[in-house]
Amino acid sequence: MMNIFESFLAAKLFRIASPLKKFNPNFDEIRIVSNFNRRPGDPRCGLVMYSGCFVVGAETVVLPFSIAFSGRNGRSTSSLAQFSYFDARLDVRILAFLSVLDFLEATGELPLGSLAAHTNRIVSKRPGCRKEICDSYPEFCERAAKDLPYDMSLEVLGAAA
């Protein structure tokens, strides 16, 4: 069974993949398979790559992703170019990228402020539609939280309030 952080990541990535209003994945049948790769002997920016996918039921693998990090000023830093996701559309890639970063920050794999720093990098390089997508991320998270089972949804939405 997935913990609340994994379930929320799943809810976000499933919502991106299927933006139907009444979409309601069965979280009892979903599990995450993931892998953390760290740089040996460097506690400051040890995360080099995080990858994963979700398994639905017994065998169906969906929503594969991976994100690579470089060390910059003692912090793990990534970019859209270092993020792989099964859907290449810009809006989808940005929302998935932010969702994975949000997960890594929430679980303590990245320091607090990492999501904001990466969001600023996305927007500063090419504003316009990228800024609109990044600005819509909090509302997207709220909608995805409502896809979670009721108790988890309340916990996620309560933490956001």
Side-chain angles (χ1 to χ4, degrees), residues 10 18 28 33 50 57 73 75 84 88 101 108 113 120 122 137 150:
S18 179
D28 292 333
V33 176
Y50 173 64
N73 299 325
R75 297 185 81 149
S84 297
L101 290 168
N120 288 336
I122 292 170
Y137 182 69
Y150 184 72

Side-chain angles (χ1 to χ4, degrees), residues 105-145:
E105 185 175 309
T107 58
E109 292 292 335
L110 291 176
L112 292 176
S114 293
L115 177 63
H118 283 88
T119 301
N120 288 336
R121 289 187 72 204
I122 292 170
V123 173
S124 68
K125 296 204 181 225
R126 292 186 197 130
C129 72
R130 290 177 176 227
K131 180 169 178 13
E132 292 173 22
I133 296 165
C134 290
D135 288 348
S136 72
Y137 182 69
E139 293 82 23
F140 163 77
C141 290
E142 187 174 327
R143 288 191 308 275

